[in-house]
Amino acid sequence: MEDNERLTEKTFSNGDIYVGTFKGLLPHGKGKYTWSGGIFYEGDWEGGKMTGKGHIVWPSGAEYVGDFSGGYLHGFGTFTGPDGSVYRGIWRMNIRHGLGRKEYSNKDVYDGAWKEGVHEGSGTYSWNSGNTYIGNWKGGKMCGRGVMKWVNGDIFDGSWLNGYRHGSGVYRFADGGYYFGIWSKGLKDGKGKFYPAGSKHPLLRKLFSTLGYDDDANSVLSHSSSLNAEESRTRKPSVKRSLSDKISGSGSFRSSGRISHRTSSLGENRNLQDPAGEFICDNSSCKLSHVTNEGQSEVQDGSTIVFEREYVQGVLITEKIRNYAEVPHKGKQRSKFSVKEVKRSSCVDIFEGNRSYYLMLNLQLGIRYTVGKITPVPMREVRTSDFGDRARIRMYFPRKGSQFTPPHHSVDFYWKDYCPMVFRNLREMFKLDAAEYMMSICGDDGLRELSSPGKSGSIFYLSHDDRFVIKTLKKYELKVLLKMLPKYYSHVGEHENTLITKFFGLHRITLRGRRKVRFVVMGNMFCTELRIHRSYDLKGSSVGRFTDKDKIKENTTLKDLDLSYEFHMDKLLRESLFKQISIDCMFLESQQIIDYSLLLGLHFSAPEHLKPLLEPPNTTSNPESSPADDGISSQVELMIPPKGLLLVTHEPNFVSTAPGPHIRGNTLRAYSVGDKEVDLLLPGAGRLRVQLGVNMPAQANRRLSENGVDSMEVELFEVYDVVLYMGIIDILQEYNMKKKIEHAYKSLHFDPMKISVVEPKLYASRFINFLRKIFPEQP
């Protein structure tokens, strides 16, 4: 029997008034509620709570019309702020969450995905100046792949991080010039190529064809129809720019700034900063007036002039001007630009073609399953039974799914997770959140396959956020890791500053036909906001430890004999480094391990206030006045003068103390700051916490050979400020019988003390002595 519903007015003791229907003692059905503070709601009620369609108005003038649930703004609705801003889209418990469009009071517009009140996912932001960004967002900031178009016609298509251009990308200037390169926190950082307006280089045309652009690349944003629509009604630029060749060589675009937006309350309305408003030209020769005579920046039709440039934190340090002579096409003439054949891996044979994608998908499915299964288990100390080959979780993943596994688009496979409790405790020990671990590896952004940096033929994957490296293992390497795992567990537990690789998981996939792929999840030692300009793999041996010059590329990891620097560090930082290296080498020696390396990454610092000094006007050569020399290059070398990096007393509130994939130890102490824990102040990067192997400042000295000068009388050095990142890798090679035979054979042809394969005690001693030479003690 239904309760009687009645339309009535009720005044509450606190002054609130409700006029509508009741069910029992609670508002239910249609009604209007007016709070004593001036807020009123009119719409549907259910069990005393606003649920259904309704309209609420605040005294400030803000109002919402749309869906409610359980007293919350929940569903689809339109919110108008007191400042006139309007949001129309999806809500979840009073927070913008889902697809929505917001028109800000200053006429900026965001249309796209929201999460927890901020932009996250795909979306378009249009500034009132006419500038537009289309792409991915994360945490309210431009992050991932995206395209920015400025009102003057300039376009950037590439990677973004925390509101900055960060990673590879293409910058197209309004006059038709292009720059292909790499950015770091909004600044050019690394090698790139600039094609002036009118360039007809064959590689440029080929690239546009590959990317799906027009032949003349008039529409880098062809995939963004909404942005192209904006192009037809472009407004007058609010900030004008110089010609593209001057900007590319001399200017520093910080166009995006640090862009963030977070709504903590319904009335809050903060706008994104217009990227054009932060354009800075550091070179005094760069004019802020828009030049309409584009002929000055264009080259003659058919020219193939290319500027090959290298930047360090926005500073142009090297420029080569090349003039490629066009070769007439003859029949099936072989192109001089050929693709080098890549060394095949035994794992690649298993996953021909798109089947490497299946391997990646299998990894994600398996890790999501096992981490989700082991995480709810109560934390406990590991036992002897938790180690070894028999401590495992096994599961079959049919393509159609099963009672325990979801359906998927890969091939059927068997999954094995080794020592799940041990690795669960290791992740806890390394302060790694299980949800973050799964999202990093198993999220929608997926994994990126890397080319193998060594001779092993292993497949390497990198998580989308660069935190984790996944490497395939040989069977004997898996056995070595399982054998040493109990001692490894104890070692990393006792020594939080260890430089040895962090292991987060050990797994195996078995495919139809019983083919098996084993892999390990490790921390990425180079996971940092700073760009790693050079990297080295150092073993302490000399036989064969060099890289052919014609094989060296920007991201090539170099070897012992390629290293020409000595690194001078603070006294206490150096003592801490070698104390831990000795402890780690003693552990590896006890496990009969050899062939390990110190992976060393260098970030060269280029202080911002030095940029005008380092970029004289003549570095932006006019292509039209450059002689055509049929491929002979002219080169400009600019040297960065030294500027000491500043160590200051550690302040936990001013630096990130969150553990990273390679960060776990305490903050280091420095002799130069009175034996106190220190942070590093780095121009252009802010304040960084100094830990062992992470954010370690040093001066890199390189001896110069001067013709006509007696080296016994004078020594000349290049000195650079660098930030170092390092760790000990490749620790899964035992000194077994095979290696003993290899040692005996190589000893017949080379000096036994210089070859890589030596017994563990000698290997550790030689390794440490070599590192003492490249990190010399200060007098």
Side-chain angles (χ1 to χ4, degrees):
M1 184 175 180
E2 296 184 359
D3 293 338
N4 294 327
E5 294 185 357
R6 59 189 184 281
L7 181 64
T8 185
E9 177 177 334
K10 182 176 182 178
T11 302
F12 297 91
S13 59
N14 62 354
D16 294 353
I17 300 175
Y18 174 76
V19 178
T21 59
F22 285 81
K23 187 175 184 179
L25 300 176
L26 300 175
H28 189 89
K30 300 286 186 180
K32 179 178 179 180
Y33 195 105
T34 304
W35 283 264
S36 59
I39 303 172
F40 77 84
Y41 167 82
E42 184 171 9
D44 297 332
W45 293 80
E46 185 176 315
K49 296 183 178 180
M50 298 178 291
T51 301
K53 302 289 184 180
H55 178 202
I56 187 169
V57 178
W58 287 267
S60 63
E63 64 175 326
Y64 171 82
V65 179
D67 296 331
F68 291 79
S69 180
Y72 293 98
L73 281 60
H74 192 89
F76 185 85
T78 301
F79 178 84
T80 303
D83 57 356
S85 62
V86 178
Y87 171 81
R88 179 178 174 83
I90 306 298
W91 295 77
R92 189 177 73 175
M93 299 183 70
N94 289 352
I95 297 175
R96 300 172 184 90
H97 191 94
L99 294 177
R101 173 186 173 89
K102 181 169 182 178
E103 299 178 9
Y104 294 88
S105 58
N106 66 346
K107 304 305 180 184
D108 288 359
V109 177
Y110 174 77
D111 190 351
W114 298 72
K115 184 177 181 180
E116 300 295 337
V118 297
H119 313 151
E120 183 145 337
S122 298
T124 300
Y125 197 103
S126 300
W127 284 264
N128 58 17
S129 63
N131 303 324
T132 306
Y133 170 83
I134 297 178
N136 292 322
W137 298 76
K138 187 171 183 180
K141 301 175 184 178
M142 297 182 289
C143 195
R145 175 71 184 275
V147 180
M148 173 75 78
K149 180 172 181 180
W150 286 268
V151 68
N152 73 332
D154 287 0
I155 297 171
F156 174 77
D157 183 350
S159 298
W160 298 76
L161 180 67
N162 294 329
Y164 287 116
R165 285 169 292 177
H166 191 92
S168 59
V170 181
Y171 197 105
R172 193 199 80 172
F173 298 91
D175 63 4
Y178 286 84
Y179 179 78
F180 297 79
I182 298 175
W183 279 258
S184 178
K185 299 186 73 173
L187 302 175
K188 298 185 187 75
D189 204 356
K191 293 182 179 179
K193 291 184 179 181
F194 171 64
Y195 297 85
S199 175
K200 301 295 183 182
H201 194 286
L203 286 183
L204 190 61
R205 293 196 296 268
K206 181 178 180 181
L207 179 61
F208 293 145
S209 176
T210 302
L211 296 177
Y213 302 158
D214 299 336
D215 288 340
D216 59 355
N218 284 331
S219 180
V220 173
L221 298 177
S222 58
H223 63 286
S224 305
S225 57
S226 61
L227 192 54
N228 286 331
E230 290 285 331
E231 190 170 2
S232 61
R233 47 191 172 89
T234 301
R235 291 153 38 164
K236 185 177 180 180
S238 58
V239 177
K240 301 179 181 179
R241 309 205 178 147
S242 61
L243 291 175
S244 62
D245 57 326
K246 290 186 179 181
I247 291 175
S248 179
S250 307
S252 162
F253 275 84
R254 286 192 224 163
S255 52
S256 60
R258 292 187 68 89
I259 297 180
S260 62
H261 177 76
R262 179 170 291 274
T263 303
S264 57
S265 64
L266 293 176
E268 186 175 358
N269 184 43
R270 282 179 281 178
N271 300 321
L272 292 178
Q273 185 175 357
D274 188 340
E278 282 204 357
F279 168 66
I280 296 176
C281 185
D282 292 306
N283 192 308
S284 58
S285 67
C286 184
K287 300 178 181 178
L288 288 177
S289 60
H290 187 72
V291 182
T292 57
N293 183 10
E294 293 186 2
Q296 294 181 16
S297 64
E298 292 183 355
V299 296
Q300 294 180 354
D301 196 35
S303 172
T304 54
I305 286 180
V306 176
F307 293 76
E308 296 182 353
R309 292 171 173 164
E310 183 172 5
Y311 292 83
V312 174
Q313 288 186 280
V315 177
L316 177 65
I317 60 171
T318 304
E319 180 179 82
K320 298 178 182 179
I321 305 173
R322 294 193 181 275
N323 183 15
Y324 294 90
E326 288 195 303
V327 181
H329 299 284
K330 296 180 181 179
K332 294 185 179 180
Q333 181 180 9
R334 182 181 177 183
S335 171
K336 63 178 179 179
F337 300 100
S338 59
V339 179
K340 183 179 178 181
E341 184 177 354
V342 179
K343 178 182 177 181
R344 295 182 63 81
S345 161
S346 58
C347 295
V348 175
D349 293 334
I350 296 176
F351 296 94
E352 289 287 354
N354 291 332
R355 300 186 77 181
S356 183
Y357 164 78
Y358 295 147
L359 173 59
M360 181 181 72
L361 186 58
N362 294 349
L363 300 181
Q364 294 178 308
L365 287 167
I367 290 175
R368 186 183 293 117
Y369 172 80
T370 51
V371 173
K373 185 178 180 67
I374 197 68
T375 300
V377 177
M379 188 75 176
R380 62 170 175 79
E381 290 294 325
V382 294
R383 307 164 184 154
T384 304
S385 59
D386 293 323
F387 295 94
D389 181 63
R390 294 185 177 275
R392 62 187 183 268
I393 294 176
R394 300 182 65 181
M395 182 54 61
Y396 175 55
F397 283 78
R399 187 170 185 176
K400 294 182 180 180
S402 68
Q403 180 181 356
F404 305 103
T405 63
H408 57 84
H409 298 290
S410 183
V411 296
D412 298 349
F413 68 97
Y414 290 90
W415 171 264
K416 181 185 284 189
D417 183 32
Y418 292 97
C419 307
M421 184 57 72
V422 175
F423 284 104
R424 178 259 178 86
N425 281 19
L426 282 173
R427 292 191 291 268
E428 293 277 352
M429 189 186 300
F430 296 143
K431 301 177 182 177
L432 181 62
D433 181 73
E436 291 182 5
Y437 181 64
M438 282 199 293
M439 285 302 298
S440 180
I441 296 177
C442 308
D444 294 336
D445 293 328
L447 304 171
R448 306 197 303 272
E449 185 174 349
L450 305 176
S451 59
S452 175
K455 300 178 181 179
S456 64
S458 297
I459 294 177
F460 287 81
Y461 289 101
L462 187 65
S463 63
H464 72 90
D465 55 6
D466 295 341
R467 298 181 68 189
F468 304 102
V469 176
I470 300 175
K471 175 188 176 183
T472 58
L473 299 179
K474 293 182 173 62
K475 185 176 181 180
Y476 78 84
E477 291 177 314
L478 181 140
K479 289 183 176 181
V480 170
L481 181 51
L482 287 175
K483 180 181 176 181
M484 77 153 62
L485 193 56
K487 296 294 184 182
Y488 172 87
Y489 185 89
S490 299
H491 180 79
V492 298
E494 294 171 6
H495 304 285
E496 65 173 0
N497 288 327
T498 181
L499 292 171
I500 290 177
T501 306
K502 286 183 180 179
F503 294 122
F504 298 108
L506 184 61
H507 315 285
R508 190 185 77 183
I509 290 173
T510 303
L511 303 170
R512 289 174 297 184
R514 312 304 296 174
R515 291 174 294 185
K516 299 173 181 177
V517 183
R518 306 159 187 88
F519 61 93
V520 64
V521 183
M522 306 176 290
N524 179 14
M525 294 179 181
F526 293 163
C527 180
T528 170
E529 289 187 5
L530 303 183
R531 178 168 175 76
I532 302 298
H533 297 110
R534 298 287 185 274
S535 61
Y536 296 87
D537 182 284
L538 307 174
K539 294 182 181 292
S541 60
S542 58
V543 175
R545 297 295 296 166
F546 64 91
T547 309
D548 294 337
K549 291 186 178 181
D550 57 347
K551 295 182 179 180
I552 296 178
K553 299 179 182 178
E554 183 177 7
N555 296 323
T556 300
T557 300
L558 305 176
K559 300 178 182 178
D560 303 60
L561 298 180
D562 302 318
L563 181 63
S564 56
Y565 297 103
E566 288 183 352
F567 302 99
H568 298 277
M569 305 174 67
D570 178 275
K571 179 180 178 181
L572 283 182
L573 295 185
R574 183 182 181 277
E575 286 182 5
S576 299
L577 175 64
F578 278 97
K579 178 182 178 181
Q580 189 59 52
I581 288 177
S582 298
I583 293 172
D584 289 339
C585 286
M586 189 180 304
F587 163 72
L588 295 173
E589 179 187 337
S590 70
Q591 301 301 303
Q592 294 294 293
I593 299 297
I594 62 168
D595 216 26
Y596 47 86
S597 311
L598 182 80
L599 184 62
L600 176 66
L602 278 62
H603 170 83
F604 289 89
S605 173
E608 215 163 307
H609 67 275
L610 295 176
K611 291 175 186 174
L613 304 176
L614 301 176
E615 296 187 27
N618 62 4
T619 61
T620 56
S621 307
N622 191 329
E624 206 169 21
S625 62
S626 301
D629 50 13
D630 295 332
I632 301 175
S633 67
S634 61
Q635 183 169 343
V636 180
E637 288 284 354
L638 300 173
M639 197 163 30
I640 302 174
K643 171 64 181 175
L645 299 173
L646 184 60
L647 287 173
V648 295
T649 304
H650 175 57
E651 292 287 348
N653 295 331
F654 293 97
V655 295
S656 173
T657 57
H662 182 55
I663 305 170
R664 189 171 67 99
N666 53 23
T667 305
L668 296 186
R669 298 176 180 272
Y671 178 79
S672 57
V673 191
D675 195 16
K676 296 179 180 178
E677 293 183 340
V678 291
D679 298 331
L680 172 64
L681 288 183
L682 183 65
R687 189 168 183 145
L688 304 172
R689 183 185 179 196
V690 180
Q691 294 171 277
L692 205 63
V694 180
N695 302 327
M696 298 186 71
Q699 279 196 335
N701 294 1
R702 178 165 62 184
R703 182 180 286 105
L704 298 176
S705 58
E706 190 76 14
N707 294 332
V709 178
D710 187 352
S711 60
M712 297 297 293
E713 296 179 2
V714 63
E715 286 187 326
L716 299 178
F717 290 90
E718 283 181 347
V719 181
Y720 299 91
D721 294 318
V722 294
V723 183
L724 303 179
Y725 297 84
M726 68 187 79
I728 297 175
I729 63 170
D730 297 337
I731 64 168
L732 300 179
Q733 178 58 64
E734 273 188 324
Y735 190 60
N736 51 25
M737 182 57 67
K738 180 180 177 181
K739 287 297 177 180
K740 291 177 181 178
I741 295 173
E742 182 182 344
H743 170 76
Y745 175 76
K746 288 187 176 181
S747 297
L748 299 175
H749 300 83
F750 305 101
D751 185 345
M753 299 298 293
K754 295 182 179 180
I755 60 178
S756 178
V757 183
V758 294
E759 59 91 16
K761 186 173 184 178
L762 177 58
Y763 191 97
S765 175
R766 185 181 64 185
F767 180 75
I768 294 173
N769 290 336
F770 173 76
L771 295 181
R772 291 189 186 278
K773 292 179 182 178
I774 66 173
F775 295 98
E777 189 173 4
Q778 294 293 317

